[in-house]
Amino acid sequence: MDRNDSVIGPVLMAVCLLAAAPAFAQTSGDPARDPTKTEVWTPVPTIVATPSGRAPSDAIVLFDGKDVSPWESEQGGSVPWVVADGALTVVPGSKGIRTKQRFCDVQLHVEWRTPVETKGFVGQNRGNSGIFLQDLYELQVLDSYNNATYANGQAGSIYKQAMPLVNASRAPGQWQAYDIIWKAPRFSQGGGLTSPARITVLHNGVLVQDDTVLAGKTEYIGAPSYEPHGCASISLQEHDSRVSYRNIWVREL
Ligand code: MG
């Protein structure tokens, strides 16, 4: 290193500091350039704990692997499904189940698993269940791993209304997850539709429904339409398949 190198560094730093000084002064002197003018400090967002693999601290736990007391048969009465090994499993030929509590706008997390055994089951008969928002609007649960069916009836579809953006399905027997944002439809005092239902769904962390607008309640045959209603149960469908559920929680929005 020659003498010049040892001098250039400190000189350059000094020049930079001198050049920057007027800018700081100018910023602090001009209210329009004051960065604190656009800082919002209150109200402070509520703290929510988010333990890994468990419900957030402000969620309503609908199924924790053991307790089915938040649920009842869709006909009323006790849940006709089986609880074992931390999972709630459909009993084919029984009935669907619904929450006792009624919900409108929600964030809903549901983990589900279709049966390993697929032999002899094709299309809509392979691992079929469903999550009904407000008891009327079905987000399809189906084994859609190497299992062709109509696209608006596969996993991640709003049944017969909106196909998923992609097929993010895992193999049968593996746990999968839906994270759902549901905006309930709004009706006027006279019963007219003022705002349709909207849904956003992540399937295994992948966006499959992006603020999708629903045309009405789920129909097996014919076009969907709306009828006025209020908050309602979240329901899980019994569709002759031994689909299992675990870690279900909901946050009211
Ligand atoms: Mg279904």
Side-chain angles (χ1 to χ4, degrees), residues 128-130 138 140 237:
N128 194 333
S129 183
E138 185 184 13
Q140 176 70 307
Q237 185 185 45

Side-chain angles (χ1 to χ4, degrees), residues 231-249:
C231 301
S233 298
I234 295 165
S235 306
L236 301 178
Q237 185 185 45
E238 182 278 308
H239 200 290
D240 291 327
S241 300
R242 296 181 195 281
V243 173
S244 297
Y245 290 93
R246 73 175 185 188
N247 194 18
I248 307 174
W249 51 261

Side-chain angles (χ1 to χ4, degrees), residues 67-144:
D67 179 20
V68 291
S69 64
W71 299 86
E72 62 184 5
S73 166
E74 67 185 15
Q75 292 184 318
S78 60
V79 171
W81 298 1
V82 170
V83 178
D85 300 326
L88 173 61
T89 302
V90 174
V91 172
S94 62
K95 287 289 174 188
I97 63 172
R98 68 186 179 207
T99 58
K100 294 172 184 171
Q101 188 171 341
R102 294 166 179 231
F103 299 97
C104 283
D105 295 358
V106 293
Q107 174 184 353
L108 175 63
H109 176 88
V110 179
E111 296 178 22
W112 53 276
R113 179 184 65 191
T114 61
V116 174
E117 182 56 62
T118 60
K119 196 176 176 189
F121 299 101
V122 296
Q124 293 288 313
N125 291 322
R126 184 180 293 181
N128 194 333
S129 183
I131 298 157
F132 281 78
L133 286 310
Q134 294 187 282
D135 218 13
L136 292 171
Y137 311 92
E138 185 184 13
L139 167 62
Q140 176 70 307
V141 168
L142 194 75
D143 176 357
S144 288

